[in-house]
Amino acid sequence: MMKTSFSTLACPDWNLREIVQAAATYGYDGVELRVVSRELDLWTLSEFQPSALAGTRNVIQDLGLVVASMGSSACFHSSDPLERQRNFDSALRMAELAAGLGAPSIRVFGDRIQPGNTRGQTAGWIADSLNRLAEKLKPSGLEVWLETHGDFAAVNDVDEVLAQLEGENTGIIWDPANAWEQSGELPLISAQMKPHIRHVHLKDMKRDSQGSSHYVATGEGDFPFQTMFASLAEIGFDGFVSFEWENLWHPELAGPEVALPHFIEWWKNREAS
């Protein structure tokens, strides 16, 4: 059975206790930690210091929750090896938190083809960084999950990276709305993707008369959820479906006290139908 979490992008102003208490109250199974108290570099916060991690983990677990994933900001699209290394080091810092909190993974990005570079070159840099990171994290038991995002959101482009991966502890966070928004690509899972899908981001969007898309409450938009869920059923997916409501980047969106319980209600109704 699939489980539910939400990205804390939905509640950027909340502290950790507010986040986990809301998750428990609304009926989520876990949380995907991306931002806490408006801070993306979570290792700077007191509750994520090495001496505090065990206590923070207990706070989360005592409410019957788990950390579904830790969302780093690391991107591996740069042609500059030093820039990729800086992002690599940032991912390692997030991995220390993930291990301490009992999370299964860290999320990283591919992300954008930089001016003067080709898609093939960029895919190679991304894959190389993922392979290095996966090898580094192997002793900890953590996995590295690449989000389908940016210029590597569409299935064919994701496949190009996946074909170059070497470690068993690499996977993807499938965010099919990213590709659907960019090109109308239906949420179908390729043969290359099937063994790699670990986690799913879910959001609904609506197209306007000019063809642009914008966030709407789950179930009120145009995203083809039936196709997505049928694709997940075909591979027997039973991981986390994580609600992504990007209030941090789009402050005009409804607040978390509206969006988060609405998603759970929609989810329950979907399961009942």
Side-chain angles (χ1 to χ4, degrees):
M1 178 180 292
M2 291 183 287
K3 300 173 283 290
T4 57
S5 61
F6 62 85
S7 166
T8 55
L9 288 174
C11 48
D13 294 308
W14 288 359
N15 62 37
L16 184 70
R17 288 189 177 272
E18 290 172 318
I19 290 166
V20 296
Q21 187 60 63
T25 299
Y26 295 147
Y28 286 85
D29 301 303
V31 292
E32 183 178 348
L33 295 178
R34 173 66 171 126
V35 58
V36 176
S37 302
R38 291 253 157 204
E39 180 59 64
L40 292 167
D41 294 334
L42 299 184
W43 55 83
T44 66
L45 298 175
S46 60
E47 57 264 55
F48 297 105
Q49 297 304 304
S51 61
L53 280 178
T56 299
R57 181 173 181 172
N58 288 336
V59 167
I60 296 168
Q61 292 181 339
D62 286 348
L63 288 168
L65 302 168
V66 299
V67 178
S69 185
M70 298 290 292
S72 82
S73 302
C75 298
F76 298 121
H77 55 213
S78 176
S79 61
D80 181 357
L82 293 178
E83 178 63 21
R84 294 201 301 275
Q85 185 62 46
R86 281 191 285 270
N87 280 270
F88 189 92
D89 293 341
S90 172
L92 288 180
R93 298 199 71 171
M94 192 63 81
E96 292 175 3
L97 306 190
L101 296 175
S105 67
I106 58 167
R107 184 281 310 276
V108 299
F109 294 113
D111 190 37
R112 303 279 180 182
I113 301 169
Q114 302 299 293
N117 299 319
T118 68
R119 179 174 295 280
Q121 287 173 317
T122 308
W125 294 322
I126 294 167
D128 176 69
S129 299
L130 291 175
N131 287 331
R132 288 177 55 224
L133 190 54
E135 183 65 25
K136 185 78 172 180
L137 296 184
K138 190 179 293 184
S140 70
L142 287 171
E143 293 198 342
V144 182
W145 293 350
L146 175 72
E147 181 171 343
T148 60
H149 185 272
D151 291 330
F152 293 87
V155 168
N156 288 342
D157 302 320
V158 176
D159 283 352
E160 185 174 2
V161 175
L162 294 179
Q164 301 177 62
L165 297 186
E166 300 167 355
E168 295 181 357
N169 58 325
T170 53
I172 60 173
I173 294 179
W174 188 36
D175 193 331
N178 286 335
W180 181 83
E181 178 186 15
Q182 290 173 17
S183 65
E185 180 178 270
L186 290 175
L188 300 171
I189 299 169
S190 70
Q192 187 85 43
M193 289 168 60
K194 284 181 181 179
H196 290 281
I197 292 181
R198 303 287 196 272
H199 187 90
V200 177
H201 278 172
L202 189 155
K203 54 196 172 218
D204 202 358
M205 311 189 91
K206 195 169 187 65
R207 295 192 188 281
D208 59 27
S209 58
Q210 284 75 45
S212 299
S213 300
H214 59 276
Y215 275 98
V216 294
T218 320
E220 297 180 8
D222 303 320
F223 182 75
F225 286 114
Q226 287 187 329
T227 302
M228 185 195 78
F229 285 121
S231 297
L232 291 172
E234 286 180 4
I235 65 170
F237 180 77
D238 61 358
F240 273 93
V241 171
S242 195
F243 176 47
E244 192 172 52
W245 185 252
E246 297 184 342
N247 196 279
L248 177 63
W249 314 129
H250 301 280
E252 73 279 3
L253 294 175
E257 67 282 353
V258 175
L260 295 178
H262 178 275
F263 173 81
I264 283 292
E265 189 64 25
W266 173 84
W267 182 264
K268 291 177 179 177
N269 290 336
R270 183 199 69 83
E271 289 186 318
S273 62

